[in-house]
Amino acid sequence: ALAAPEFMIHEKCVDLVAVGEGETILEDLCAKMEAGKPIIETAGVLAINDKHEIIKTPLPPLIDVDVVQPLRFDLYDERRLYRAIGGKYRKTLPWEITRGCMYQCTYA
C-alpha cells in the first residue's frame, strides 16, 4: 500500500495499486488471477478501467498483525539476503514496509 495511491495509479507502468492491508490484498489478488476472475473485484485496490476511470474497491477488513505469517526467506537465493547494516552483515529483504500514518491520518 502507498501513501499516495491516486498519484501512483497514473503512472504508465502501473496497472493496480494496493490500498490497505497488503497481506490480504495480495492473497486475494493471486486467488482471483488463478481462478480467472476479474482482479478489480479484489478488495483494497485502485485501478484504471478501459474508459480511463479510476476504480477504487472497498478496503478489506483489518488483520491481526500478531497472526501474520513470518517472512519466507527460503524463497530467495541465500547470497541475496545479506547486507552490511551498521557495520555488521544482516539477513534482510530489499523491501520497505510500514504500518500506520503517513501524514493523511483519519483516526476514528
Side-chain angles (χ1 to χ4, degrees), residues 66-101:
D66 293 327
V67 297
V68 174
Q69 296 295 316
L71 294 176
R72 294 279 315 268
F73 287 105
D74 62 308
L75 298 174
Y76 299 90
D77 182 336
E78 186 78 14
R79 296 170 294 179
R80 296 201 49 170
L81 300 177
Y82 289 91
R83 303 274 190 269
I85 301 173
K88 296 181 180 181
Y89 278 98
R90 301 179 190 272
K91 187 181 268 190
T92 67
L93 288 175
W95 294 347
E96 184 173 328
I97 300 172
T98 62
R99 290 200 179 272
C101 173

Side-chain angles (χ1 to χ4, degrees), residues 24-72:
T24 57
I25 294 169
L26 185 58
E27 187 177 321
D28 189 39
L29 181 65
C30 290
K32 293 263 190 317
M33 292 172 68
E34 188 174 56
K37 294 181 179 178
I39 60 174
I40 196 61
E41 292 178 2
T42 303
V45 298
L46 195 71
I48 295 183
N49 67 13
D50 295 338
K51 298 176 185 175
H52 302 286
E53 302 165 322
I54 294 177
I55 305 298
K56 186 174 185 178
T57 62
L59 292 175
L62 294 176
I63 61 172
D64 179 355
V65 296
D66 293 327
V67 297
V68 174
Q69 296 295 316
L71 294 176
R72 294 279 315 268

